[in-house]
Amino acid sequence: MKTSKTISVQKFVVYSGLYLLTFGIIFFTFTLTPRQSYNFHILRLLIIFCSVVLLSKYFFYMVISPWHDVVVAYKNKRNYNGKYYQPLVSVMIPAWNEEVGLLNTVRTLLRSDYRNVELVIVNDGSTDRSHEFMMRFLQRYDAEIPESPDKIQIVYHYKENGGKGEALNTAIALSRGDILLSIDADCAVGKSTIGNFVRHFADPEVMAAVGNVRVANTKNIIEVVQYIEFLFSFYFKKAESVMNTIYIIGGAAGAFRREVFEQLGPYNTKNITEDIELSVRIQKAGMKIVYASDALVYTEGASKLRDLKKQRHRWKRGRFETFFLHGDLFFSTDKRHNKILTWIILPLAYFGEFQLALELLFVAFLYVYSILTNDFSSFISGIIVVCSMFLVQTLFEEKINRKYSLYLLSPIGWLLFYVSTFVEVSALLKSVWGLLRKQEIKWQRWQRHGIQ
């Protein structure tokens, strides 16, 4: 097992190498004289076009995102009686072979400042010791914690394996709350998280909310990349919340009014990303989804490349299946549907997959082209854009959790993103191949170490 000292040395070596490469490119840019070459002019224009389209989207998100806090503050001043709004919250925890993290998740939830809560834990046919651990914990909990009005009740149910969607539907049936909160069994939840979720539902128009998920483990490069990815993607949810275009509520931190399930039905057990499918269904029904940036939930990211690829394959495949299922949402003229979502955001999601399919070719071409022509301007542009995004994250978002500073990663972030690009390309190709061959994907599992 690697020690913390060994991990620190490895990260120092890797980061030093990335810094040398970045400063080397900057040095070549200002010292080498560019040579003209028109042999690949069309391909270069195609790359520029694809890059400009997607970078324009992210630039727009960066401009809109800071306004989210202003909008939330304004709504909080309106009379929603939020101070007195304290509905029963049912926290649903689906678990399959989660002996490492399940009890830690339960303990963090029991420490919640918001006490009108019940925990509904559904063990989906686990074959590890999670059932044994849970039963032992419940016996101690009932014996040691006296009955009182603010005691959080725990409902535990063991069932045959049927998949995450079925486990969540079982939790819905067992729950009593007006607000249903989905939390993965490998998460740690902040004391104020549940209360912060509830505060958003004081607005009667809000039907669902997505929390702010952070990757807790950052020991190796794979984990660091995921930490950065989550930080960026959830920061951009601020812009999506302002525009009401959120169409992905992750299972790690998603809250819903009970009416959502009463009106739209339960989770789709045939979709491998039941959370994404439900999110799109909510948007399709014209319901409002918001981002609760102060509802912090910490999750364990994959620590190995093959595990990360397995996770992203499921996400990618599930999103494709959801888009196919709700294809009529694209370019919809229905008055219930948000036109920014249906005419811009969703089509851009497909455009992004098209660019991703060509990404390896683009990257190879850029390196070859830059070396042959002594023109490294494309890399300089990438460094500037990504570095700017890192600084924005540090200024506006990282103040919430200073566990891991982005300052030192800003100049080399563009290189770290190559890891996620490789993973996403692999997931895309595997997803397309699986769709063509009609291969099934089940609730995947990888080795977890637990959140420390």
Side-chain angles (χ1 to χ4, degrees), residues 46-308:
L46 176 62
I47 295 175
I48 292 174
F49 170 75
C50 292
S51 300
V52 167
V53 169
L54 293 181
L55 286 177
S56 297
K57 169 189 170 183
Y58 293 125
F59 176 78
F60 180 72
Y61 275 22
M62 287 177 63
V63 172
I64 297 295
S65 292
W67 290 96
H68 172 264
D69 297 337
V70 177
V71 172
V72 171
Y74 169 75
K75 289 185 176 181
N76 287 340
K77 291 181 180 180
R78 294 170 60 181
N79 184 23
Y80 292 134
N81 295 321
K83 182 179 180 180
Y84 308 102
Y85 181 69
Q86 295 187 338
L88 175 63
V89 177
S90 296
V91 182
M92 307 182 296
I93 310 173
W96 179 61
N97 290 346
E98 294 285 0
E99 65 179 12
V100 174
L102 178 57
L103 292 185
N104 182 57
T105 300
V106 172
R107 290 189 182 101
T108 62
L109 287 164
L110 292 176
R111 291 195 291 266
S112 173
D113 292 336
Y114 189 89
R115 305 305 296 177
N116 193 18
V117 177
E118 66 171 4
L119 306 186
V120 183
I121 305 162
V122 177
N123 192 327
D124 191 47
S126 296
T127 56
D128 62 358
R129 301 180 65 189
S130 56
H131 177 66
E132 175 189 341
F133 291 168
M134 196 65 221
M135 293 301 296
R136 193 182 305 163
F137 175 83
L138 289 174
Q139 290 176 357
R140 290 200 305 269
Y141 182 71
D142 290 335
E144 297 173 3
I145 306 299
E147 290 293 334
S148 64
D150 67 343
K151 178 180 179 179
I152 295 178
Q153 300 300 316
I154 302 177
V155 178
Y156 177 68
H157 179 76
Y158 184 93
K159 61 180 285 294
E160 293 184 0
N161 182 261
K164 188 175 182 179
E166 190 174 303
L168 284 166
N169 288 338
T170 301
I172 293 172
L174 294 172
S175 66
R176 300 177 295 114
D178 298 316
I179 305 297
L180 304 181
L181 174 58
S182 170
I183 298 291
D184 283 344
D186 64 340
C187 293
V189 181
K191 288 185 177 181
S192 60
T193 295
I194 297 178
N196 290 338
F197 264 120
V198 170
R199 183 167 56 84
H200 290 274
F201 284 95
D203 180 349
E205 295 182 354
V206 173
M207 299 301 289
V210 56
N212 189 352
V213 182
R214 299 294 184 90
V215 173
N217 48 317
T218 55
K219 292 182 179 179
N220 61 42
I221 299 301
I222 300 299
E223 296 168 352
V224 169
V225 168
Q226 292 171 85
Y227 178 87
I228 296 171
E229 281 183 321
F230 275 57
L231 196 64
F232 275 39
S233 63
F234 280 90
Y235 180 72
F236 289 149
K237 282 192 183 295
K238 288 188 172 185
E240 294 178 342
S241 184
V242 171
M243 299 183 292
N244 191 28
T245 59
I246 295 175
Y247 69 94
I248 297 180
I249 305 175
F256 312 88
R257 290 193 191 275
R258 182 172 290 276
E259 294 96 297
V260 169
F261 300 102
E262 292 175 346
Q263 296 179 30
L264 305 183
Y267 284 94
N268 185 341
T269 57
K270 294 182 180 180
N271 191 294
I272 55 173
T273 50
E274 67 293 320
D275 48 0
I276 298 178
E277 193 281 328
L278 176 62
S279 309
V280 173
R281 216 185 325 154
I282 293 172
Q283 278 286 2
K284 199 172 182 178
M287 297 178 175
K288 187 174 183 179
I289 304 172
V290 299
Y291 172 52
S293 61
D294 51 357
L296 287 171
V297 175
Y298 298 89
T299 187
E300 181 179 0
S303 58
K304 296 181 179 179
L305 183 61
R306 67 171 179 269
D307 293 335
L308 181 59

Side-chain angles (χ1 to χ4, degrees), residues 351-362 425 428-429:
F351 182 83
E353 301 298 346
F354 166 76
Q355 185 198 31
L356 189 62
L358 302 174
E359 192 71 20
L360 296 181
L361 174 64
F362 286 176
V425 170
L428 174 63
L429 297 178

Side-chain angles (χ1 to χ4, degrees), residues 3-17:
T3 64
S4 58
K5 182 177 181 180
T6 302
I7 293 171
S8 298
V9 171
Q10 290 178 344
K11 288 169 72 173
F12 174 78
V13 171
V14 172
Y15 291 162
S16 298

